[in-house]
Each structure stands twice: as C-alpha cells, then as structure tokens.
Amino acid sequence: MTDLVTIRPGPVLHVWRDGQEVAAIRLSNPAALTLLADLARALVVAQGGAP
C-alpha cells in the first residue's frame, strides 16, 4: 500500500492511496502555512537538527 499527500492550489490537501484519491480537504491559508512549517520543522529534526 502506497500513501501520498499533495497540496495543490486552493489550497487543497489531497490524500492518495495506491494511486486513487481518497480525500480532498480545503485548507485556509493559515492552515496551509502551519502545515508547511510543521513539515519543515520535522525535516530539520529528521536531519539531526538545524544546520
């Protein structure tokens, strides 16, 4: 099983499972920016901290 999440203009969060879209969730601009910040923070932590 392969899961994928994309954010497209709108902004809309799309959730894909095995190549099929299973959810589309409209985000407010602040929610989209918060999600982006959370993902960036998680990437920094996963890389062992700030450069």
Side-chain angles (χ1 to χ4, degrees):
M1 183 178 301
T2 302
D3 294 333
L4 175 71
V5 175
T6 60
I7 299 176
R8 294 191 173 163
V12 178
L13 175 76
H14 298 269
V15 180
W16 305 84
R17 178 164 289 147
D18 293 328
Q20 299 293 316
E21 185 178 37
V22 295
I25 304 154
R26 187 171 241 321
L27 300 173
S28 66
N29 286 336
L33 292 171
T34 298
L35 177 59
L36 176 62
D38 289 348
L39 290 171
R41 192 172 5 265
L43 287 171
V44 168
V45 169
Q47 294 298 315

